[in-house]
C-alpha cells in the first residue's frame, strides 16, 4: 500500500470520528488517553483542560471531568480486563447532566480483545432527552388527574350546594340562642371551604370555550393584578420591581390570566414571608412568544418538591392555609392557550416562574 493512500485513509477515518458529536476517547486500562475525537476535546476544554488535543500521558478523568481519582461508578477497568462491553449511566461527570457511558473493548485484527486492554469510551448526553420525557410524563399525569378531579368535583358540586343552601335557610329561621345554632354555623363554614376546593378543581379540569378568548395585553393584565396585590405587598414590606416594555399581546381570557398572575404573586408573597424582600416582574416579547417572569427573593423550592408543585393539592403551607390548587389551576389555564410555565428555584435564595404564551400579533 502506498504511503499517501494510507495517509488519506487515516485522514478520512479521523474526519469520520471527529464528525461524531458525542465525545469518544481511546484509553488503556489505567485510564491513560491514547486518542480522542473533537467532541471530547471540546468538552475537556470546557472542563478546564489547557491544550486542544495533546492529552497523551493524561488520564481521562483528569482531562474530561477535572477529577483526581476515577469516577465512582466507572466500569472501564471491567471492560479492559474482560471481553464484554460495559454500559452505565452517570450524573457525576458534570453538574446536573446525565450521561450514558459505554466502554467498548478494542479488538485486534484477529477479532480478539486487545492485549493492552485498550477501551473506547463513548459518552452520550441524555439530559435533554430525559427532560423531555419528564415533561411529557408530567403533562400526561396532569391531564389524567384533571379528568378525574373534574369528574369528582362535578359530582360533589350539587350535593354541596344543597348542604350550603339548606344550612343557610335553617340558620336564617333559627334563633341565635338555639343550642344548635353554632353547630349549624360550623356546617355552613365547612361547606363554604369545600366549595372553594371544588371550584378550584373545576377550574383545573375545565376546558374553556374558544369564544371566551380574545387578543389581550398580558403586561396590562399583570399590572392590574399588581395593583390589586399592592396593599399586601406593603403590609409584608415587599419592594416591587417591574420591567414590562411595550405590549405583550396574546390570545387568552384576561380574567383567567389575571388568576394565573394572582396565584404566582400570592405564592411569591408567601415565599418571602414576614421578613421583607423583593418581587420583580419582567416581560419580554420575541417574534413568536410573550414571556412574563415573576421572581421572588423568598425561601425557594427544595429540588425534590420541584416535580410536584404543579400537582393538585400539593402544598407545603400549614393545614387550612393553602389548598395546593393555585399552580395546578394556573398550569391548566396556560396549557389551554398552548403555553408553558417554567420554574427555576434555589432554596434559600428565591424562585422565578416564567409564563410563556404564543404571541398574538
Ligand atoms: N414562589 C414560590 N416560592 C417557594 N415555593 C413556592 C412558590 N410557589 C409555589 N411554591 C410551592 O409550591 C406549592 C404549591 O403551590 P400552589 O400555589 O399550587 O398551592 P399553595 O400556594 O400551597 O396553595 P393555594 O395556592 O391554594 O393557596 C406551595 O405550597 C409551595 O411549597
Ligand atoms: Mg398558591
Amino acid at each position: 500500500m502506498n504511503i499517501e493512500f494510507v495517509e488519506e485513509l487515516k485522514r478520512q477515518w479521523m474526519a469520520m470520528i471527529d464528525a461524531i458529536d458525542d465525545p469518544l476517547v481511546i484509553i488503556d486500562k489505567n485510564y491513560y488517553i491514547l486518542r480522542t475525537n473533537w467532541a471530547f476535546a471540546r468538552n475537556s476544554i470546557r472542563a478546564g483542560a489547557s491544550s486542544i488535543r495533546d492529552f497523551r500521558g493524561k488520564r481521562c478523568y483528569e482531562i474530561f471531568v477535572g477529577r483526581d481519582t476515577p469516577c465512582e461508578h466507572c466500569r472501564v477497568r471491567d471492560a479492559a480486563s474482560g471481553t464484554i462491553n460495559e454500559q452505565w449511566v452517570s450524573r457525576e461527570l458534570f453538574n446536573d447532566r446525565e450521561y450514558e457511558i459505554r466502554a467498548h473493548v478494542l479488538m485486534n485484527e484477529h477479532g480478539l480483545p486487545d492485549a493492552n486492554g485498550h477501551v473506547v469510551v463513548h459518552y452520550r448526553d441524555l439530559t435533554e432527552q430525559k427532560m423531555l420525557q419528564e415533561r411529557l410524563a408530567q403533562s400526561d399525569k396532569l391531564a389524567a388527574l384533571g379528568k378525574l378531579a373534574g369528574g369528582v368535583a362535578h359530582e360533589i358540586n350539587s350535593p354541596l350546594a344543597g348542604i350550603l343552601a339548606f344550612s343557610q335557610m335553617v340558620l336564617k329561621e333559627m334563633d341565635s340562642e338555639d343550642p344548635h345554632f353554632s353547630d349549624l354555623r360550623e356546617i355552613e363554614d365547612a361547606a363554604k371551604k369545600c366549595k372553594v376546593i371544588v371550584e378550584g378543581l373545576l377550574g383545573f379540569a375545565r376546558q374553556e370555550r374558544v369564544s371566551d378568548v380574545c387578543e389581550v395585553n398580558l403586561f396590562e393584565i399583570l399590572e392590574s393584578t399588581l395593583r390589586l396585590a399592592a396593599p399586601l405587598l406593603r403590609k409584608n414590606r415587599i419592594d416591587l420591581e417591574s420591567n414590562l416594555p411595550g405590549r405583550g399581546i396574546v390570545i387568552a381570557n384576561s380574567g383567567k390570566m389575571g388568576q394565573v398572575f394572582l396565584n404566582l404573586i400570592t405564592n411569591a408573597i408567601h415565599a418571602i414571608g414576614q421578613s421583607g424582600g423583593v418581587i420583580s416582574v419582567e416581560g419580554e416579547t420575541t417574534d413568536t412568544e410573550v414571556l412574563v417572569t415573576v421572581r421572588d427573593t423568598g425561601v425557594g423550592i427544595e429540588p425534590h418538591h420541584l416535580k410536584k408543585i404543579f400537582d393538585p393539592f400539593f402544598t407545603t403551607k400549614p393545614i387550612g392555609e393553602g389548598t395546593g390548587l393555585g399552580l395546578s389551576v394556573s398550569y391548566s389555564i396556560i396549557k389551554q392557550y398552548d403555553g408553558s410555565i417554567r420554574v427555576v428555584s434555589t432554596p434559600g435564595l428565591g424562585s422565578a416562574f416564567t409564563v410563556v404564551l404564543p404571541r398574538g400579533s
Side-chain angles (χ1 to χ4, degrees):
M1 238 188 276
N2 90 31
I3 190 110
E4 276 163 28
F5 180 68
V6 172
E7 279 302 316
E8 177 59 17
L9 215 56
K10 191 173 148 197
R11 203 193 56 73
Q12 280 177 4
W13 270 104
M14 271 324 287
M16 196 169 92
I17 300 289
D18 280 339
I20 296 172
D21 264 348
D22 295 339
L24 287 170
V25 61
I26 305 178
I27 54 175
D28 68 16
K29 60 177 179 296
N30 292 318
Y31 310 99
Y32 281 105
I33 296 174
L34 301 167
R35 221 185 180 109
T36 77
N37 73 345
W38 269 115
F40 184 96
R42 265 198 314 269
N43 263 49
S44 304
I45 296 293
R46 247 182 272 146
S50 52
S51 78
I52 299 269
R53 242 174 171 191
D54 194 14
F55 299 144
R56 272 162 305 181
K58 297 273 173 29
R59 295 179 171 104
C60 56
Y61 53 80
E62 294 169 342
I63 290 298
F64 195 56
V65 198
R67 292 174 58 108
D68 297 331
T69 52
C71 304
E72 229 166 88
H73 304 290
C74 182
R75 294 205 209 148
V76 159
R77 276 261 159 98
D78 302 328
S81 59
T83 52
I84 299 171
N85 297 336
E86 298 283 341
Q87 180 179 329
W88 68 103
V89 171
S90 171
R91 275 188 167 274
E92 61 182 324
L93 297 187
F94 305 107
N95 266 352
D96 293 333
R97 299 205 76 82
E98 185 165 332
Y99 274 84
E100 181 186 72
I101 308 168
R102 290 168 188 231
H104 301 268
V105 181
L106 212 65
M107 300 293 178
N108 63 20
E109 64 270 34
H110 308 296
L112 294 169
D114 177 277
N116 299 312
H118 289 165
V119 171
V120 180
V121 187
H122 172 196
Y123 304 83
R124 203 155 73 86
D125 191 344
L126 300 179
T127 319
E128 263 77 41
Q129 187 186 328
K130 278 278 160 76
M131 257 162 49
L132 206 67
Q133 279 168 352
E134 274 171 19
R135 226 175 284 157
L136 275 176
Q138 168 83 348
S139 65
D140 275 359
K141 183 175 75 179
L142 288 180
L145 269 172
K147 267 196 194 135
L148 182 74
V152 173
H154 192 77
E155 290 299 308
I156 291 177
N157 211 19
S158 318
L160 194 61
I163 295 172
L164 199 57
F166 283 116
S167 56
Q168 285 170 341
M169 227 165 68
V170 179
L171 268 173
K172 244 189 203 160
E173 288 168 11
M174 193 182 260
D175 183 5
S176 61
E177 299 301 316
D178 191 295
H180 295 306
F181 190 85
S182 64
D183 296 345
L184 212 53
R185 267 260 186 274
E186 294 276 334
I187 294 176
E188 188 202 11
D189 281 351
K192 276 185 182 160
K193 273 187 197 141
C194 291
K195 196 161 173 261
V196 171
I197 294 175
V198 166
E199 274 168 3
L201 276 178
L202 285 171
F204 171 62
R206 193 174 294 138
Q207 286 296 318
E208 218 163 299
R209 292 197 310 278
V210 178
S211 58
D212 289 340
V213 300
C214 59
E215 265 193 8
V216 291
N217 181 351
L218 214 51
F219 299 167
E220 219 171 74
I221 299 173
L222 179 57
E223 269 165 353
S224 61
T225 314
L226 287 169
R227 279 195 292 275
L228 257 179
L232 209 55
L233 294 175
R234 272 197 300 276
K235 187 173 154 237
N236 287 277
R237 290 182 294 123
I238 295 172
D239 291 330
L240 180 69
E241 288 169 4
S242 164
N243 180 19
L244 299 167
R247 284 152 51 84
I249 303 294
V250 298
I251 310 285
N253 177 292
S254 66
K256 293 278 170 198
M257 286 316 300
Q259 193 184 339
V260 169
F261 291 140
L262 195 61
N263 282 335
L264 295 183
I265 291 159
T266 319
N267 283 350
I269 293 174
H270 190 268
I272 290 174
Q274 305 297 315
S275 46
V278 181
I279 292 181
S280 54
V281 297
E282 207 172 304
E284 192 193 336
T285 311
T286 71
D287 287 345
T288 53
E289 291 173 336
V290 178
L291 295 89
V292 168
T293 300
V294 176
R295 194 172 276 113
D296 66 66
T297 56
V299 288
I301 304 168
E302 292 298 328
H304 64 282
H305 283 165
L306 268 181
K307 275 189 197 154
K308 300 187 197 154
I309 58 172
F310 294 102
D311 291 355
F313 298 119
F314 176 80
T315 181
T316 52
K317 290 180 182 168
I319 292 173
E321 263 190 41
T323 59
L325 284 172
L327 283 180
S328 54
V329 169
S330 305
Y331 176 95
S332 82
I333 292 171
I334 287 166
K335 273 276 152 212
Q336 281 167 28
Y337 304 139
D338 296 325
S340 61
I341 178 164
R342 302 181 203 138
V343 53
V344 180
S345 185
T346 313
L349 288 182
S351 313
F353 284 79
T354 302
V355 170
V356 186
L357 286 177
R359 190 173 162 168
S361 71

